[in-house]
Amino acid sequence: GLVTTLYIRQKGHDDAITLVNNNADSDFITDSLKGQLFSLPLPAGEYELFCIGFKGSNGSKTITSKSRDDLGLAFSIEPGRVTYIGQFITSSLVAKSKLWNIEYPSGYGVITYSNAYSRDKALFDERHPDLYNLAFSPEPLAEKNTRLISTRPE
């Protein structure tokens, strides 16, 4: 499967915070999804998800690609609150073989962004019972069901 990296930084800073799925662990599994819940303690301030990276295989070689570096999907962290920024679903783009007329994974990826607040709040409370009393605040980064497509190889 695709390895996806989310690149986050505090506004006004260059240091990147990276969140990487490992495809080995999962916090939830459904008929169509397998995923991990990431939680990261951050100091209060303004942040942005500025880039998304993918690492996949097309069957013969590893493909690394990234979105543009200026996505600018902003969110705020406030003291005493848990900021929920949403669900990111990674899918592999498919290519079609001209020789064999079959489809295969291209190694490139697509991210679909949406909200899974109820499921993720329950998972968060299970993982972090000591934080149960904190407000769990959804902060949308973009319109729901936005597709952020990675098309540029590194």
Side-chain angles (χ1 to χ4, degrees):
L2 287 174
V3 174
T4 307
T5 304
L6 302 179
Y7 296 89
I8 298 169
R9 66 180 163 219
Q10 191 166 14
K11 286 192 173 184
H13 297 266
D14 291 331
D15 296 335
I17 300 161
T18 56
L19 297 174
V20 182
N21 75 322
N22 64 14
N23 287 325
D25 299 322
S26 61
D27 293 310
F28 64 89
I29 299 174
T30 68
D31 290 340
S32 59
L33 293 175
K34 174 182 173 184
Q36 294 173 275
L37 178 71
F38 291 94
S39 52
L40 180 66
L42 295 171
E46 299 297 313
Y47 291 82
E48 68 176 337
L49 171 61
F50 68 92
C51 185
I52 300 171
F54 301 100
K55 184 176 181 182
S57 173
N58 67 4
S60 62
K61 65 180 178 176
T62 298
I63 307 286
T64 304
S65 60
K66 276 186 165 180
S67 69
R68 62 186 201 269
D69 283 336
D70 63 350
L71 291 176
L73 300 171
F75 60 98
S76 299
I77 302 294
E78 297 177 24
R81 300 180 80 78
V82 175
T83 303
Y84 172 74
I85 62 171
Q87 168 179 262
F88 300 85
I89 300 171
T90 305
S91 305
S92 180
L93 290 175
V94 176
K96 191 161 192 170
S97 168
K98 292 178 181 170
L99 178 62
W100 301 103
N101 198 30
I102 58 171
E103 293 183 343
Y104 62 93
S106 68
Y108 293 98
V110 174
I111 285 238
T112 302
Y113 170 75
S114 61
N115 182 328
Y117 178 87
S118 296
R119 181 203 61 215
D120 292 345
K121 168 79 169 103
L123 283 169
F124 182 84
D125 289 345
E126 185 180 302
R127 283 176 128 201
H128 304 284
D130 53 319
L131 302 177
Y132 179 81
N133 290 327
L134 293 180
F136 195 84
S137 307
E139 187 161 340
L141 299 180
E143 289 181 31
K144 286 186 183 179
N145 301 321
T146 297
R147 292 179 74 145
L148 305 171
I149 301 176
S150 173
T151 58
R152 192 185 72 223
E154 281 188 311

